Amino acid sequence: MTQSPAKLNAFPVFMRVEGEAVVIVGGGDEAFAKARLLAQSSARLVVVASEIAPEFAAWIADGAATHIAAAYEASQLEGAALVFAATGNAEQDRAISEDARRLGIPVNAVDRPELCDFFTPALVNRAPLAIAIGTEGAGPVLAQMVRAKIDRMLSPSLGSLAALASSFREVAEALLPKGNARRRFWREFFAGAPARAMERGEAEAARRAAADLLGDTGAGAGHVVLVGAGPGAEDLLTLRAHRHLMEADVIVYDALVPEAVVAMGRRDAERLPVGKRKGCHSKSQAEINELLVRLAREDKRVVRLKSGDPLVYGRAGEEKQALRDAGISYEVVPGVTAAFAAAADFELPLTLRGVTSSMVFTTGHDLKGKSLPDWAKLAISGATVAVYMGRSVAADVATRLIEAGLAADTAVAVVENASLAGRRKFHGTLADLPSLEERIDLTGPVMTIIGDAVAGANFAGSEPLARRRGTTGNKKFEERVA
């Protein structure tokens, strides 16, 4: 038998307080906290307290409230829409609650649920949109934790978008018939071009986009977001990336993106893996480009989820060009790139005052040509070098840099699966780096950081890179640099 949901003892409502008096009795921290909460409304705040904390008094003096500097009397409550008893004294709060009820005014006694007619919620404010979280006074800390999670999920621009929606409601109802046409308009309004413009802070562009939607009777245009999933740990995903995942109709993701990150998307979103990992390219780049264009033309909101940052070896440039050529709107959401995650795992300063002030992102494959890349010269001059996808060419990297003049004892840090709980860390010198190719036990993505700043890392929990002291374990490399 299905269990019935628990009944609420306090039913949530939104009460009109515009221009109404709300009386707060008390001058301490509890009263100040309620005053700041109520200040998010358009009510007239009245604080009754013969003595008041200095910070609270300064806040009131800025015009946030009216202060009645006198001992409490029941007559001070007359005409109020709401009353808050926040004296910190149980007997005083009880007397205030009884006076308010006698006058027919709803009352809240701070931290005394047995005296309350109503409870103040934890509030997510995107005025005119508001989300209230309550626990009937049973768990205020829990309510604040939930509020923080919801607050992170919602764009700061949502209130401005809601206000814009209010200005379009009458004309939308007049021009658009009930049913699919009206629903499509509002869906595109809150998730399409008007929402994106408002998120960029372009209020007038958002208004024009909304007006354009009113005259568009066809299907809405799709949109693609190139999102950086970060190095792997789901709690390193940005708030903006998470919001887009929650809005996506389709999530197109690479093999290096962990399932835990993909699962943070909307539950009913279509999920399309496209490989893009060494040895398992399920789709070519051209096929991925075509897929993104096709999905957008089907009026889909698409998230193209890439490991790390889409603009750092993520082929975002090719995908952007394909979308641009097809006339598809798109945007880019940056992510934490693997170099930063690896440096954090080692507590390694990528720049270090007096040692290095520049850094280079590269792949080991850049060193396989005949000419020495410009970044190699930067490494020799002291830059920190972060090498992506360099395990299989570690000997080439070491050889070319040593031949170019970088000291063989330059410090090296290597991380497999940066940011994840199962990461592995290795340390050594440039002369030790070729042994990385011999580590067949490393199956996850590997990041290598080279430079004098590496010496400032925390090597606790790190394994030596070379198998034996004084040898790399790579005879071919040793012969080349001997």
Side-chain angles (χ1 to χ4, degrees):
M1 184 174 67
T2 303
Q3 186 176 4
S4 300
K7 300 288 188 180
L8 289 170
N9 294 321
F11 189 77
V13 297
F14 287 89
M15 184 172 182
R16 289 188 179 276
V17 293
E18 182 180 5
E20 299 289 338
V22 173
V23 176
I24 301 169
V25 184
D29 291 341
E30 297 92 345
F32 192 14
K34 289 300 180 187
R36 284 182 293 192
L37 177 66
L38 269 295
Q40 297 182 61
S41 75
S42 55
R44 292 187 294 108
L45 298 187
V46 178
V47 177
V48 177
S50 55
E51 295 182 3
I52 196 163
E55 187 179 1
F56 194 6
W59 184 82
I60 292 173
D62 284 339
T66 299
H67 180 204
I68 298 177
Y72 166 74
E73 295 179 4
S75 61
Q76 295 159 343
L77 308 183
E78 293 178 1
L82 297 172
V83 169
F84 289 86
T87 66
N89 180 284
E91 291 305 314
Q92 180 74 81
D93 285 350
R94 182 178 297 279
I96 295 167
S97 296
E98 291 173 353
D99 289 341
R101 290 195 183 98
R102 180 173 50 80
L103 293 168
I105 305 169
V107 63
N108 173 278
V110 177
D111 293 334
R112 308 186 199 283
E114 73 280 3
L115 299 180
C116 294
D117 294 328
F118 66 92
F119 301 97
T120 53
L123 188 64
V124 179
N125 184 359
R126 299 289 190 275
L129 173 69
I131 299 172
I133 303 101
T135 62
E136 298 182 4
V141 173
L142 173 61
Q144 290 295 337
M145 291 170 63
V146 174
R147 183 205 66 80
K149 290 183 178 180
I150 295 174
D151 197 35
R152 289 194 297 267
M153 291 172 59
L154 301 181
S155 169
S157 66
L158 205 53
S160 299
L161 186 65
L164 181 63
S166 179
S167 71
F168 272 84
R169 185 159 300 281
E170 287 188 11
V171 66
E173 291 178 356
L175 295 178
L176 301 174
K178 287 184 178 180
N180 289 336
R182 195 177 293 178
R183 281 195 297 272
R184 186 187 69 78
F185 169 78
W186 287 117
R187 176 192 169 190
E188 287 301 314
F189 183 97
F190 287 113
R196 293 192 293 272
M198 193 65 78
E199 194 164 71
R200 295 192 302 268
E202 300 171 1
E204 189 52 41
R207 181 175 293 279
R208 290 196 302 270
D212 290 342
L213 277 179
L214 281 174
D216 180 13
T217 58
H223 184 69
V224 178
V225 189
L226 308 178
V227 172
E234 56 266 35
D235 56 352
L236 287 180
L237 193 74
T238 67
L239 301 181
R240 184 177 299 180
H242 192 198
R243 285 200 298 269
H244 282 294
L245 279 171
M246 293 299 293
E247 296 170 357
D249 298 312
V250 185
I251 301 171
V252 180
Y253 62 97
D254 286 344
L256 285 176
V257 178
E259 180 57 36
V261 175
V262 180
M264 294 176 75
R266 211 176 77 197
R267 284 189 177 184
D268 59 342
E270 184 180 4
R271 291 164 167 79
L272 300 177
V274 292
K276 301 304 294 174
R277 185 175 185 178
K278 185 177 180 180
C280 61
H281 289 226
S282 61
K283 286 188 181 294
S284 68
Q285 187 60 55
E287 290 173 327
I288 294 174
N289 295 347
E290 292 172 3
L291 175 64
L292 297 177
V293 170
R294 175 174 63 79
L295 291 171
R297 284 177 172 166
E298 292 173 359
D299 189 24
K300 302 288 181 63
R301 291 168 294 178
V302 183
V303 162
R304 173 69 174 105
L305 196 57
K306 296 171 173 288
S307 179
D309 183 281
L311 300 175
V312 181
Y313 305 113
R315 297 196 174 185
E318 298 170 51
E319 293 173 7
K320 287 194 305 173
Q321 189 61 53
L323 295 168
R324 190 181 300 122
D325 292 344
I328 303 296
S329 67
Y330 68 87
E331 60 187 290
V332 180
V333 176
V336 176
T337 189
F340 295 155
D345 287 340
F346 262 109
E347 302 172 24
L348 186 163
L350 291 168
T351 60
L352 188 61
R353 187 170 60 177
V355 177
T356 180
S357 59
S358 59
M359 59 183 301
V360 174
F361 291 172
T362 186
T363 69
H365 302 279
D366 287 345
L367 280 172
K368 299 192 78 174
K370 292 183 179 180
S371 61
L372 194 67
D374 289 340
W375 68 257
K377 300 169 187 174
L378 291 173
I380 296 165
S381 66
T384 302
V385 177
V387 184
Y388 293 72
M389 302 168 284
R391 189 183 72 81
S392 62
V393 291
D396 287 313
V397 171
T399 299
R400 296 297 301 279
L401 289 178
I402 290 174
E403 288 176 347
L406 190 61
D409 62 355
T410 301
V412 170
V414 176
V415 184
E416 178 198 29
N417 293 321
S419 83
L420 295 177
R423 61 186 174 269
R424 296 180 64 187
K425 300 186 294 182
F426 305 88
H427 64 274
T429 66
L430 190 57
D432 299 326
L433 187 58
S435 65
L436 189 61
E437 291 188 29
E438 310 299 322
R439 302 299 297 251
I440 60 175
D441 56 321
L442 300 181
T443 57
V446 170
M447 171 60 62
T448 303
I449 302 177
I450 305 167
D452 292 335
V454 175
N458 181 353
F459 295 111
S462 175
E463 305 172 35
L465 189 57
R467 294 180 177 181
R468 299 185 303 277
R469 182 176 297 277
T471 179
T472 67
N474 189 308
K475 291 183 179 180
K476 187 177 179 181
F477 166 78
E478 290 167 2
E479 292 171 357
R480 289 165 64 181
V481 298

mmCIF file of all heavy atoms in Angstrom, residues 112-145:
data_model
loop_
_atom_site.group_PDB
_atom_site.id
_atom_site.type_symbol
_atom_site.label_atom_id
_atom_site.label_comp_id
_atom_site.label_asym_id
_atom_site.label_seq_id
_atom_site.Cartn_x
_atom_site.Cartn_y
_atom_site.Cartn_z
ATOM 1 N N ARG A 112 11.141 30.432 19.135
ATOM 2 C CA ARG A 112 10.128 29.916 20.059
ATOM 3 C C ARG A 112 8.914 29.451 19.241
ATOM 4 O O ARG A 112 7.883 30.143 19.177
ATOM 5 C CB ARG A 112 9.726 30.986 21.075
ATOM 6 C CG ARG A 112 10.918 31.608 21.796
ATOM 7 C CD ARG A 112 10.504 32.554 22.911
ATOM 8 N NE ARG A 112 11.609 33.449 23.250
ATOM 9 C CZ ARG A 112 12.673 33.098 23.973
ATOM 10 N NH1 ARG A 112 12.775 31.869 24.417
ATOM 11 N NH2 ARG A 112 13.640 33.978 24.234
ATOM 12 N N PRO A 113 9.029 28.295 18.594
ATOM 13 C CA PRO A 113 7.969 27.842 17.679
ATOM 14 C C PRO A 113 6.609 27.704 18.339
ATOM 15 O O PRO A 113 5.580 27.880 17.689
ATOM 16 C CB PRO A 113 8.498 26.484 17.182
ATOM 17 C CG PRO A 113 9.585 26.085 18.118
ATOM 18 C CD PRO A 113 10.154 27.348 18.642
ATOM 19 N N GLU A 114 6.580 27.418 19.643
ATOM 20 C CA GLU A 114 5.291 27.255 20.327
ATOM 21 C C GLU A 114 4.531 28.572 20.422
ATOM 22 O O GLU A 114 3.307 28.581 20.659
ATOM 23 C CB GLU A 114 5.510 26.659 21.722
ATOM 24 C CG GLU A 114 6.110 27.597 22.756
ATOM 25 C CD GLU A 114 7.629 27.757 22.642
ATOM 26 O OE1 GLU A 114 8.222 27.175 21.705
ATOM 27 O OE2 GLU A 114 8.222 28.466 23.487
ATOM 28 N N LEU A 115 5.205 29.702 20.203
ATOM 29 C CA LEU A 115 4.556 31.012 20.283
ATOM 30 C C LEU A 115 4.243 31.595 18.905
ATOM 31 O O LEU A 115 3.729 32.709 18.810
ATOM 32 C CB LEU A 115 5.464 32.003 21.040
ATOM 33 C CG LEU A 115 5.814 31.653 22.492
ATOM 34 C CD1 LEU A 115 6.711 32.733 23.082
ATOM 35 C CD2 LEU A 115 4.536 31.491 23.333
ATOM 36 N N CYS A 116 4.558 30.852 17.853
ATOM 37 C CA CYS A 116 4.470 31.402 16.496
ATOM 38 C C CYS A 116 3.147 31.087 15.806
ATOM 39 O O CYS A 116 2.664 29.952 15.837
ATOM 40 C CB CYS A 116 5.602 30.849 15.630
ATOM 41 S SG CYS A 116 7.245 31.386 16.134
ATOM 42 N N ASP A 117 2.569 32.099 15.142
ATOM 43 C CA ASP A 117 1.445 31.889 14.224
ATOM 44 C C ASP A 117 1.953 31.540 12.829
ATOM 45 O O ASP A 117 1.230 30.935 12.038
ATOM 46 C CB ASP A 117 0.592 33.163 14.125
ATOM 47 C CG ASP A 117 -0.091 33.500 15.437
ATOM 48 O OD1 ASP A 117 -0.424 32.555 16.184
ATOM 49 O OD2 ASP A 117 -0.268 34.698 15.712
ATOM 50 N N PHE A 118 3.161 31.960 12.527
ATOM 51 C CA PHE A 118 3.768 31.677 11.224
ATOM 52 C C PHE A 118 5.271 31.541 11.421
ATOM 53 O O PHE A 118 5.821 31.929 12.458
ATOM 54 C CB PHE A 118 3.448 32.781 10.203
ATOM 55 C CG PHE A 118 4.068 34.108 10.529
ATOM 56 C CD1 PHE A 118 5.321 34.464 10.013
ATOM 57 C CD2 PHE A 118 3.425 35.015 11.366
ATOM 58 C CE1 PHE A 118 5.897 35.690 10.319
ATOM 59 C CE2 PHE A 118 3.994 36.239 11.678
ATOM 60 C CZ PHE A 118 5.248 36.574 11.154
ATOM 61 N N PHE A 119 5.922 30.977 10.428
ATOM 62 C CA PHE A 119 7.370 30.792 10.471
ATOM 63 C C PHE A 119 7.999 31.520 9.300
ATOM 64 O O PHE A 119 7.457 31.502 8.189
ATOM 65 C CB PHE A 119 7.733 29.309 10.408
ATOM 66 C CG PHE A 119 7.131 28.505 11.524
ATOM 67 C CD1 PHE A 119 5.947 27.798 11.328
ATOM 68 C CD2 PHE A 119 7.733 28.466 12.767
ATOM 69 C CE1 PHE A 119 5.389 27.065 12.344
ATOM 70 C CE2 PHE A 119 7.174 27.733 13.796
ATOM 71 C CZ PHE A 119 5.988 27.031 13.596
ATOM 72 N N THR A 120 9.136 32.158 9.529
ATOM 73 C CA THR A 120 9.832 32.825 8.422
ATOM 74 C C THR A 120 10.698 31.804 7.696
ATOM 75 O O THR A 120 11.447 31.063 8.334
ATOM 76 C CB THR A 120 10.712 33.982 8.933
ATOM 77 O OG1 THR A 120 11.574 33.498 9.958
ATOM 78 C CG2 THR A 120 9.857 35.102 9.460
ATOM 79 N N PRO A 121 10.597 31.774 6.391
ATOM 80 C CA PRO A 121 11.353 30.774 5.633
ATOM 81 C C PRO A 121 12.772 31.235 5.346
ATOM 82 O O PRO A 121 13.101 32.411 5.465
ATOM 83 C CB PRO A 121 10.560 30.677 4.327
ATOM 84 C CG PRO A 121 10.052 32.079 4.126
ATOM 85 C CD PRO A 121 9.754 32.609 5.518
ATOM 86 N N ALA A 122 13.614 30.268 4.962
ATOM 87 C CA ALA A 122 14.866 30.628 4.298
ATOM 88 C C ALA A 122 14.474 31.055 2.896
ATOM 89 O O ALA A 122 13.691 30.382 2.224
ATOM 90 C CB ALA A 122 15.806 29.428 4.265
ATOM 91 N N LEU A 123 14.990 32.171 2.436
ATOM 92 C CA LEU A 123 14.471 32.812 1.234
ATOM 93 C C LEU A 123 15.515 32.893 0.127
ATOM 94 O O LEU A 123 16.634 33.355 0.353
ATOM 95 C CB LEU A 123 13.985 34.224 1.581
ATOM 96 C CG LEU A 123 13.243 35.005 0.511
ATOM 97 C CD1 LEU A 123 11.934 34.330 0.153
ATOM 98 C CD2 LEU A 123 12.987 36.431 0.991
ATOM 99 N N VAL A 124 15.124 32.444 -1.057
ATOM 100 C CA VAL A 124 15.918 32.673 -2.263
ATOM 101 C C VAL A 124 15.231 33.812 -3.005
ATOM 102 O O VAL A 124 14.102 33.652 -3.493
ATOM 103 C CB VAL A 124 15.990 31.419 -3.155
ATOM 104 C CG1 VAL A 124 16.799 31.710 -4.417
ATOM 105 C CG2 VAL A 124 16.609 30.261 -2.385
ATOM 106 N N ASN A 125 15.879 34.943 -3.076
ATOM 107 C CA ASN A 125 15.250 36.157 -3.605
ATOM 108 C C ASN A 125 15.736 36.457 -5.014
ATOM 109 O O ASN A 125 16.897 36.812 -5.218
ATOM 110 C CB ASN A 125 15.571 37.335 -2.681
ATOM 111 C CG ASN A 125 14.866 38.606 -3.116
ATOM 112 O OD1 ASN A 125 14.145 38.633 -4.106
ATOM 113 N ND2 ASN A 125 15.071 39.675 -2.365
ATOM 114 N N ARG A 126 14.835 36.288 -5.981
ATOM 115 C CA ARG A 126 15.051 36.758 -7.348
ATOM 116 C C ARG A 126 13.824 37.583 -7.717
ATOM 117 O O ARG A 126 13.103 37.290 -8.658
ATOM 118 C CB ARG A 126 15.213 35.590 -8.336
ATOM 119 C CG ARG A 126 16.390 34.662 -8.082
ATOM 120 C CD ARG A 126 17.715 35.338 -8.391
ATOM 121 N NE ARG A 126 18.812 34.357 -8.366
ATOM 122 C CZ ARG A 126 19.447 33.976 -7.278
ATOM 123 N NH1 ARG A 126 19.105 34.491 -6.103
ATOM 124 N NH2 ARG A 126 20.429 33.086 -7.344
ATOM 125 N N ALA A 127 13.560 38.613 -6.901
ATOM 126 C CA ALA A 127 12.328 39.385 -7.027
ATOM 127 C C ALA A 127 12.085 39.788 -8.488
ATOM 128 O O ALA A 127 13.009 40.221 -9.172
ATOM 129 C CB ALA A 127 12.401 40.639 -6.147
ATOM 130 N N PRO A 128 10.824 39.589 -8.962
ATOM 131 C CA PRO A 128 9.625 39.183 -8.231
ATOM 132 C C PRO A 128 9.505 37.679 -7.969
ATOM 133 O O PRO A 128 8.536 37.236 -7.355
ATOM 134 C CB PRO A 128 8.500 39.631 -9.171
ATOM 135 C CG PRO A 128 9.093 39.497 -10.531
ATOM 136 C CD PRO A 128 10.529 39.906 -10.383
ATOM 137 N N LEU A 129 10.463 36.890 -8.414
ATOM 138 C CA LEU A 129 10.444 35.470 -8.103
ATOM 139 C C LEU A 129 11.025 35.265 -6.708
ATOM 140 O O LEU A 129 12.072 35.814 -6.367
ATOM 141 C CB LEU A 129 11.275 34.687 -9.119
ATOM 142 C CG LEU A 129 11.484 33.198 -8.825
ATOM 143 C CD1 LEU A 129 10.182 32.436 -8.976
ATOM 144 C CD2 LEU A 129 12.553 32.615 -9.736
ATOM 145 N N ALA A 130 10.334 34.464 -5.897
ATOM 146 C CA ALA A 130 10.837 34.141 -4.563
ATOM 147 C C ALA A 130 10.597 32.667 -4.298
ATOM 148 O O ALA A 130 9.553 32.112 -4.654
ATOM 149 C CB ALA A 130 10.135 34.991 -3.500
ATOM 150 N N ILE A 131 11.580 32.038 -3.667
ATOM 151 C CA ILE A 131 11.451 30.645 -3.268
ATOM 152 C C ILE A 131 11.665 30.590 -1.767
ATOM 153 O O ILE A 131 12.695 31.037 -1.256
ATOM 154 C CB ILE A 131 12.479 29.749 -3.986
ATOM 155 C CG1 ILE A 131 12.262 29.815 -5.492
ATOM 156 C CG2 ILE A 131 12.385 28.307 -3.500
ATOM 157 C CD1 ILE A 131 13.334 29.135 -6.289
ATOM 158 N N ALA A 132 10.662 30.065 -1.055
ATOM 159 C CA ALA A 132 10.722 30.018 0.400
ATOM 160 C C ALA A 132 10.870 28.568 0.858
ATOM 161 O O ALA A 132 10.175 27.677 0.373
ATOM 162 C CB ALA A 132 9.449 30.628 0.995
ATOM 163 N N ILE A 133 11.795 28.337 1.778
ATOM 164 C CA ILE A 133 12.034 26.995 2.306
ATOM 165 C C ILE A 133 11.770 27.027 3.800
ATOM 166 O O ILE A 133 12.381 27.810 4.540
ATOM 167 C CB ILE A 133 13.480 26.518 2.049
ATOM 168 C CG1 ILE A 133 13.803 26.553 0.553
ATOM 169 C CG2 ILE A 133 13.691 25.114 2.583
ATOM 170 C CD1 ILE A 133 14.618 27.737 0.137
ATOM 171 N N GLY A 134 10.860 26.190 4.256
ATOM 172 C CA GLY A 134 10.511 26.174 5.668
ATOM 173 C C GLY A 134 10.555 24.779 6.246
ATOM 174 O O GLY A 134 10.404 23.788 5.534
ATOM 175 N N THR A 135 10.772 24.704 7.563
ATOM 176 C CA THR A 135 10.762 23.422 8.271
ATOM 177 C C THR A 135 9.839 23.475 9.482
ATOM 178 O O THR A 135 9.980 22.671 10.401
ATOM 179 C CB THR A 135 12.185 23.051 8.728
ATOM 180 O OG1 THR A 135 12.661 24.038 9.639
ATOM 181 C CG2 THR A 135 13.146 22.938 7.552
ATOM 182 N N GLU A 136 8.906 24.443 9.510
ATOM 183 C CA GLU A 136 7.994 24.640 10.635
ATOM 184 C C GLU A 136 8.764 24.876 11.933
ATOM 185 O O GLU A 136 8.324 24.518 13.019
ATOM 186 C CB GLU A 136 7.036 23.454 10.780
ATOM 187 C CG GLU A 136 6.150 23.263 9.562
ATOM 188 C CD GLU A 136 5.165 22.122 9.708
ATOM 189 O OE1 GLU A 136 5.123 21.528 10.809
ATOM 190 O OE2 GLU A 136 4.450 21.830 8.742
ATOM 191 N N GLY A 137 9.956 25.480 11.769
ATOM 192 C CA GLY A 137 10.767 25.788 12.936
ATOM 193 C C GLY A 137 11.590 24.624 13.444
ATOM 194 O O GLY A 137 12.369 24.768 14.384
ATOM 195 N N ALA A 138 11.463 23.453 12.812
ATOM 196 C CA ALA A 138 12.149 22.267 13.324
ATOM 197 C C ALA A 138 13.626 22.237 12.974
ATOM 198 O O ALA A 138 14.440 21.707 13.735
ATOM 199 C CB ALA A 138 11.473 21.003 12.779
ATOM 200 N N GLY A 139 13.999 22.795 11.832
ATOM 201 C CA GLY A 139 15.404 22.714 11.404
ATOM 202 C C GLY A 139 15.840 23.910 10.601
ATOM 203 O O GLY A 139 16.027 23.798 9.386
ATOM 204 N N PRO A 140 16.001 25.077 11.227
ATOM 205 C CA PRO A 140 16.414 26.281 10.487
ATOM 206 C C PRO A 140 17.734 26.106 9.738
ATOM 207 O O PRO A 140 17.904 26.628 8.635
ATOM 208 C CB PRO A 140 16.537 27.346 11.587
ATOM 209 C CG PRO A 140 15.660 26.856 12.694
ATOM 210 C CD PRO A 140 15.763 25.355 12.651
ATOM 211 N N VAL A 141 18.678 25.371 10.311
ATOM 212 C CA VAL A 141 19.964 25.159 9.634
ATOM 213 C C VAL A 141 19.766 24.345 8.369
ATOM 214 O O VAL A 141 20.368 24.622 7.320
ATOM 215 C CB VAL A 141 20.967 24.465 10.582
ATOM 216 C CG1 VAL A 141 22.235 24.086 9.833
ATOM 217 C CG2 VAL A 141 21.308 25.381 11.755
ATOM 218 N N LEU A 142 18.889 23.330 8.431
ATOM 219 C CA LEU A 142 18.579 22.534 7.242
ATOM 220 C C LEU A 142 17.968 23.416 6.161
ATOM 221 O O LEU A 142 18.312 23.309 4.976
ATOM 222 C CB LEU A 142 17.619 21.402 7.599
ATOM 223 C CG LEU A 142 17.079 20.579 6.425
ATOM 224 C CD1 LEU A 142 18.212 19.893 5.678
ATOM 225 C CD2 LEU A 142 16.046 19.569 6.907
ATOM 226 N N ALA A 143 17.056 24.301 6.541
ATOM 227 C CA ALA A 143 16.434 25.202 5.574
ATOM 228 C C ALA A 143 17.480 26.081 4.897
ATOM 229 O O ALA A 143 17.436 26.311 3.681
ATOM 230 C CB ALA A 143 15.375 26.070 6.260
ATOM 231 N N GLN A 144 18.459 26.560 5.664
ATOM 232 C CA GLN A 144 19.515 27.397 5.085
ATOM 233 C C GLN A 144 20.395 26.604 4.133
ATOM 234 O O GLN A 144 20.838 27.119 3.105
ATOM 235 C CB GLN A 144 20.362 28.003 6.204
ATOM 236 C CG GLN A 144 19.658 29.068 7.033
ATOM 237 C CD GLN A 144 19.315 30.307 6.220
ATOM 238 O OE1 GLN A 144 19.918 30.588 5.192
ATOM 239 N NE2 GLN A 144 18.311 31.042 6.679
ATOM 240 N N MET A 145 20.655 25.339 4.448
ATOM 241 C CA MET A 145 21.453 24.497 3.559
ATOM 242 C C MET A 145 20.735 24.270 2.235
ATOM 243 O O MET A 145 21.340 24.333 1.157
ATOM 244 C CB MET A 145 21.754 23.158 4.245
ATOM 245 C CG MET A 145 22.704 23.272 5.422
ATOM 246 S SD MET A 145 22.819 21.748 6.402
ATOM 247 C CE MET A 145 23.495 20.615 5.186
#
